[in-house]
Every structure is written in C-alpha cells, then in structure tokens.
C-alpha cells in the first residue's frame, strides 16, 4: 500500500483491535503483519496476554449461569447502594476539612502518621490527576513501584490501567487516579480495617474537592470502602451505585486481570458503562 492515509488508517485499526483484544476480545486476523491473538512468544507474566485470547470469556456463552441477563446497549445497569457518609466537622482541630486543594491534601498525607503504614513507606502516594477530572479511579493501595516513586498505578497493573483508559478514549492524564490507603502495605497485603478507617478521610475529602462525574472503583477494597459494604466484588458489579450522589461503577482490579485474563471482558463492559456516564 502506498497511500499514506490508508496506512495510517490501518495503523489506527490495528491499534483499536489490539485494545479490543487486550480487553478480552476475540482473535482478529489482519491481511498483513502478525495475526493478533495468535502471536507466539508472549513474555510470561507480561501485560500482553495474547495466548488467552482464544479462551472463552465470561459472558461469551449464552448459557453461562454467572452472566447477568444481557442489557440492551442503551440501558444502564440498575441502581445499587447509595452511601452518604457525614462530612467532617469544620470546627474540629483536624486540618483536613480546611484543605482547599488537592495539593493541600497531598501535603497533609505526606506527613501523616495516623496508622502503622507510615512506618515502612518510602513515599506517600496521595494520587494524581487534574482537579477538573471527570473520572476518578480508586484502587487499593500503593505497590512497590508506587512506594518508590510516590505516583499511583505506575507498576505493571498501572500499565494495564493506562491501556484500559486509553481504550475508552480517556488518556490517563485526564483522569484522577488514587487509592484507598496512601501508604504501601508491607508485601502488598490487603490494607487492614483500621488502616482503611484512618486513611479514608483523605480519599473522601479528595472526592469532595474533585466532584467527578463518575468514580471507577477497581477491586474489592475500593468498592467496599466507597459503598460501606462487605458484599463481594462479583455482587457489586453491574449496578450504578452512588457515593455522596456521584455514580460509582465497580470492576476488577488491574492486578487481578493480570492473574486472570478471563476477567478482561467483564472489565471492558464495566469501563464502557463508566464512560457512558461521563459523556
Ligand atoms: N495497585 C493499586 O491498587 N494501586 C496502585 O497504585 C498500584 C497498584
Ligand atoms: Fe496516614 Fe493513610 Fe499513610 Fe496510614 S496509610 S499513615 S492513614 S496516609
């Protein structure tokens, strides 16, 4: 092909198909170049999980008992939990309610010693993104690379998150990305209840300042914290919940997707719902 525009179009199509496949789509065969989904030699443990593309994905088989009844594309999932925690006391001595900007919150986080997670941290990871972000992504807590850099979702799970956001045409730079706890739990263990309780006022205050159109809760810790429930992630998916009135969509954590590529397709469904709520 000599037409540069046609080539550009094909590159675009290829990028699009790669994204589709990343998120659990079926194998696609293009006339030239490598066949997506059947390329041998994927690096083990890499984000690219092409070898799984031919496996059936949940929702692909009509008789799957775990699959909720298909919704027409134009319909949103039903309403779920509404959580409206009381705001903090403006007259208390705690400086957090007085923090007027995300930077001011980050400064308070930087010197925080409210829970034992302060002991082994190298950097606090308050979160990052523009103050006018329409989407806020909430994960669980910083991992090793996040602790080293002070930035959220920059390790392997973060790379996958960046691709997921690109696939719904939301460049990562336009999204506020943060976590329930702002310091790394040792060995990446799940944060404990008292650690979450100590840290969550920072997240709630960030959300009050951001006032996003949608919150995407990735993983059980984020979902259960934002909705004040012990229900499983599976039970919480596919509903439009609310946190202080803001729609909350629950989906799998990107680290879980790296372990179980069968969850990519349902995650793709969830993020598309979140995208529609932003539009
Ligand atoms: N996992 C999370 O939940 N948050 C991060 O920032 C990185 C990995
Ligand atoms: Fe403070 Fe949160 Fe870090 Fe605990 S995890 S020390 S509450 S910032």
């Amino acid at each position: 092909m000599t037409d540069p525009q046609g080539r550009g179009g094909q590159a675009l199509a290829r990028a699009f198909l790669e994204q589709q496949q990343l998120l659990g789509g079926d194998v696609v065969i293009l006339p030239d170049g490598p066949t997506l989904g059947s390329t041998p030699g994927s690096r083990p443990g890499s984000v690219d999980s092409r070898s799984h593309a031919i496996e059936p994905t949940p929702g692909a088989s009509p008789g799957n008992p775990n699959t909720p009844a298909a919704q027409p594309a134009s319909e949103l999932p039903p309403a779920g939990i509404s959580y409206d925690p009381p705001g903090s006391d403006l007259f208390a001595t705690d400086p957090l309610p007085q923090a007027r900007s995300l930077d001011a919150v980050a400064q308070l986080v930087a010197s925080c010693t409210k829970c034992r997670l302060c002991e082994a941290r190298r950097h606090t990871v308050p979160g990052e993104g523009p103050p006018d972000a329409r989407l806020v992504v909430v994960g669980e807590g910083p991992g090793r690379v996040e602790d080293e850099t002070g930035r959220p979702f920059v390790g392997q799970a973060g790379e996958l998150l960046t691709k997921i956001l690109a696939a719904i045409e939301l460049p990562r730079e336009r999204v506020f990305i943060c976590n329930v706890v702002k310091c790394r739990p040792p060995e990446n263990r799940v944060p404990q209840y008292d650690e979450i309780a100590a840290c969550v006022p920072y997240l709630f205050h960030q959300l009050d300042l951001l006032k996003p159109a949608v919150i995407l809760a990735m993983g059980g810790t984020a979902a259960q914290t934002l909705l004040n429930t012990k229900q499983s992630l599976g039970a919480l998916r596919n509903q439009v919940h609310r946190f202080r009135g803001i729609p909350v969509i629950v989906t799998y954590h990107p680290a879980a997707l790296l372990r179980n590529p069968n969850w990519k397709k349902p995650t793709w469904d969830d993020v598309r719902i979140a995208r529609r709520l932003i539009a």
Side-chain angles (χ1 to χ4, degrees):
M1 197 186 304
T2 50
D3 168 19
Q5 274 191 336
R7 201 168 279 276
Q10 199 180 37
L12 206 65
R14 184 175 293 278
F16 173 76
L17 291 167
E18 266 166 356
Q19 279 172 354
Q20 290 282 93
Q21 204 222 343
L22 167 90
L23 293 159
D26 294 328
V27 174
V28 177
I29 298 165
L30 294 179
D32 70 319
T35 299
L36 302 181
S38 63
T39 311
S42 297
R43 282 173 291 132
S46 79
V47 172
D48 179 351
S49 52
R50 291 166 181 209
S51 55
H52 298 277
I54 51 170
E55 289 172 13
T57 50
S61 61
N64 185 340
N66 298 324
T67 307
Q71 273 142 4
S74 58
E75 270 178 40
L76 288 169
I81 296 171
S82 224
Y83 179 40
D84 202 357
S88 36
D89 181 358
L90 268 177
F91 299 100
T93 51
D94 183 356
L96 180 60
Q98 330 285 340
R100 296 284 176 83
S101 69
L102 295 164
D103 285 346
V105 176
Q107 273 179 30
L108 293 172
V109 167
S111 57
C112 178
T113 54
K114 284 187 196 290
C115 85
R116 66 183 78 77
L117 296 183
C118 69
E119 291 164 16
R121 75 179 175 214
R122 292 179 61 186
H123 292 99
T124 53
V125 185
E128 66 182 25
D132 61 350
R134 305 267 295 150
L135 176 68
V136 173
V137 169
V138 182
E140 180 173 281
R144 183 180 54 81
V145 190
E146 290 78 15
D147 179 59
E148 280 167 8
T149 58
R151 297 186 56 210
F153 280 101
V154 288
Q156 219 190 357
E159 282 173 29
L160 181 54
L161 174 62
T162 302
K163 288 182 186 175
I164 291 171
L165 293 174
I168 54 168
E169 287 165 2
L170 272 178
R172 173 186 171 112
E173 299 71 38
R174 280 177 44 204
V175 178
F176 193 87
I177 301 175
C178 61
N179 287 296
V180 171
V181 294
K182 312 299 191 191
C183 304
R184 182 193 184 197
E187 311 302 326
N188 296 346
R189 65 164 169 74
V190 177
Q192 290 168 7
Y193 185 80
D194 61 330
E195 294 158 356
I196 294 174
C199 207
V200 85
Y202 296 116
L203 172 64
F204 289 180
H205 195 62
Q206 286 174 316
L207 292 170
D208 281 349
L209 292 169
L210 284 155
K211 295 189 176 37
V214 181
I215 300 168
L216 183 64
M218 299 195 99
T221 299
Q224 290 165 354
T225 302
L226 286 167
L227 302 173
N228 193 34
T229 177
K230 291 184 173 159
Q231 283 185 51
S232 71
L233 182 118
L236 293 168
R237 278 192 57 244
N238 213 29
Q239 295 169 63
V240 181
H241 308 283
R242 297 208 175 245
F243 174 85
R244 290 184 178 154
I246 301 165
V248 177
I249 298 298
V250 171
T251 195
Y252 295 100
H253 192 285
L257 298 185
L258 293 171
R259 292 192 297 270
N260 190 343
N262 281 342
W263 288 336
K264 287 185 179 181
K265 168 70 170 68
T267 302
W268 178 228
D269 294 338
D270 297 334
V271 296
R272 275 190 305 187
I273 292 164
R275 186 70 181 89
R276 278 171 50 210
L277 286 163
I278 297 167

